[in-house]
Amino acid sequence: HRFPLLGRVIDTGAEIDWRRDYVHQVSTGPVYARRIPYLDFARAGDHKFVWELNRHQHLVLLAQAWLFTSDGRYRDEIFGQLENWLDQNPFLKGMNWASSLEVAFRSLSWVWVYHWTGHAMERGLRRRFLEELYRHAVYLEHNLSIHFSPNTHLLGEAAALHALGTLFPAWPGSHRRRRLGREIVLAQMDSQVLPDGFHFERSVYYHVYALDMFVLHHLLEPAP
């Protein structure tokens, strides 16, 4: 439970407080996400440290470690962290439901985790996990960044929405979410890519970020 985050290393101890900024030692409660003052440093700490951990990209590394080594400790750690996260972050409550892009990033991590470890999940956890992932898809569909940061945020959310609609076709509304995600990604390809092929923000990082999202979309739905 030592995590390198944004140039720092945090130590959470035995149980992770998923709503805590460990760098500045500030936690927020499980209240309705719209009431979380995540931009108020004094009340919420630095939300970037909270959200970076809750993207769950480290769970993807643990899943890879389990596949390569067959060491059950990696698998058990994944499942323990997921159950702990689900307990602490009820739908729409708390800091980790305050940003649609963070929901999208976490969804993509969860897709990989489920792809590699879902077959090993105990039945109760698998059902609970998939129900929560479905809620992530519903959340994204109704909270896209159309008006706030309708560029890189919107692209990431749409790519995740398309992925969830594509990879879980049996879910109610998946066809609609897949179509909506696809439409937005293609529209952003036109609006965010300049005639010279570079990202419109003229940032190498954002160029790579956008390229990642476009490639993911293409792999899931190749052009005709």
Side-chain angles (χ1 to χ4, degrees), residues 54-92:
N54 283 269
R55 292 177 178 183
H56 284 183
Q57 292 166 333
H58 66 278
L59 296 185
V60 178
L61 294 177
L62 286 172
Q64 291 173 322
W66 179 57
L67 289 178
F68 287 132
T69 67
S70 299
D71 188 333
R73 292 176 300 172
Y74 295 120
R75 176 202 58 216
D76 295 344
E77 182 64 24
I78 293 170
F79 296 165
Q81 287 194 30
L82 285 174
E83 289 194 290
N84 182 255
W85 192 93
L86 294 170
D87 289 341
Q88 292 186 32
N89 296 273
F91 185 49
L92 297 182

Side-chain angles (χ1 to χ4, degrees), residues 15-59:
E15 182 171 340
I16 301 171
D17 180 348
W18 294 103
R19 299 187 306 274
R20 186 170 187 79
D21 168 7
Y22 280 93
V23 174
H24 302 96
Q25 300 299 313
V26 179
S27 292
T28 50
V31 300
Y32 178 54
R34 300 299 187 209
R35 295 184 178 274
I36 298 291
Y38 66 87
L39 294 178
D40 186 335
F41 184 87
R43 297 168 64 189
D46 189 336
H47 61 277
K48 293 189 294 295
F49 284 104
V50 180
W51 286 346
E52 191 74 18
L53 179 60
N54 283 269
R55 292 177 178 183
H56 284 183
Q57 292 166 333
H58 66 278
L59 296 185

Side-chain angles (χ1 to χ4, degrees), residues 10 19 90 92 97 108 112 116 120 131 148 152 161 172 203 213:
I10 66 169
R19 299 187 306 274
L92 297 182
W97 291 101
L108 292 175
W112 280 112
W116 285 327
E131 286 177 346
F148 174 79
T152 52
L161 186 66
S203 159
M213 296 302 172

Side-chain angles (χ1 to χ4, degrees), residues 104 144 153-163 177 180-182 184-185:
L144 293 166
H153 281 224
L154 182 58
L155 174 58
E157 295 157 13
L161 186 66
H162 174 264
R177 285 186 286 272
L180 176 60
R182 179 180 185 275
I184 294 174
V185 169

